[in-house]
Amino acid sequence: MQRFFLQPNRAYRDFQLVYGLLALNFLIPATTYLLDPVGTHERLLGLCALVGEDGWPSSESSHLWRFLGISDVYVLGFLCVWLMLDLRRHIAALPGLALLKALTSLQFLWGFAFGSGHRLFLGIGLFDGLTTALFLGFALRAWRALPTADEGLVPRPIGWLKRPTT
């Protein structure tokens, strides 16, 4: 643990920390959505009450949208972990990750501005915009700071997709 926090490549360390938290931020709720949809809906209504709204502006009983949401959030978590495993080799996943979250942000902001005006839409849209900025900022900063060899990086990239040299 000490090697991780004291490693000389701070950008890589910070990327690993932020992406680890973001991965948990997606994987835990996606599992909750899947296993406890009623509890998830109750927590959503609690958030609505917290921002002074009287419920959610649409029905949350649709399996279609719940299943699509679960898939979306699991993919976000998977891509965070994928990038953490080997940023140099998996950097091509970053645009897709950022696009997925940016589109969600824009949809919620659009829904707030031109739809229901629900305050939670604004909060979700702004939070997802911040998340998109975190994706791009931490990954690109770490990617630029990567040394030519993986020595000294903690954790060391897995490199399991690396072609064998002959």
Side-chain angles (χ1 to χ4, degrees), residues 136-157:
L136 293 169
F138 280 90
L140 291 173
R141 184 172 162 255
W143 183 69
R144 281 189 218 103
L146 286 173
T148 54
D150 293 339
E151 287 80 29
L153 297 177
V154 181
R156 193 170 180 166

Side-chain angles (χ1 to χ4, degrees), residues 121-145:
F121 281 16
L122 175 62
I124 293 169
L126 293 174
F127 185 77
D128 284 351
L130 172 64
T131 303
T132 304
L134 292 173
F135 283 156
L136 293 169
F138 280 90
L140 291 173
R141 184 172 162 255
W143 183 69
R144 281 189 218 103

Side-chain angles (χ1 to χ4, degrees), residues 91-130:
I91 193 67
L94 182 60
L97 175 67
L99 178 65
L100 189 59
K101 198 46 133 169
L103 288 175
T104 304
S105 173
L106 292 173
Q107 289 174 84
F108 275 104
L109 292 172
W110 181 271
F112 172 75
F114 303 107
S116 69
H118 199 280
R119 285 186 287 265
L120 197 54
F121 281 16
L122 175 62
I124 293 169
L126 293 174
F127 185 77
D128 284 351
L130 172 64

Side-chain angles (χ1 to χ4, degrees), residues 76-94:
L76 290 165
F78 168 80
L79 289 174
C80 285
V81 171
W82 185 247
L83 285 162
M84 288 174 68
L85 290 174
D86 198 330
L87 181 60
R88 179 181 289 111
R89 289 177 188 87
H90 302 165
I91 193 67
L94 182 60

Side-chain angles (χ1 to χ4, degrees), residues 32-98:
T32 304
Y33 303 160
L34 180 65
L35 300 177
D36 185 20
V38 172
T40 298
H41 188 247
E42 289 171 2
R43 285 185 291 281
L44 174 67
L45 294 177
L47 283 173
C48 291
L50 187 66
V51 298
E53 293 288 354
D54 199 21
W56 189 250
S58 62
S59 168
E60 287 301 307
S61 62
S62 167
H63 283 72
L64 171 69
W65 299 115
R66 184 167 60 91
F67 293 162
L68 288 172
I70 291 167
S71 300
D72 178 70
V73 177
Y74 268 123
V75 168
L76 290 165
F78 168 80
L79 289 174
C80 285
V81 171
W82 185 247
L83 285 162
M84 288 174 68
L85 290 174
D86 198 330
L87 181 60
R88 179 181 289 111
R89 289 177 188 87
H90 302 165
I91 193 67
L94 182 60
L97 175 67

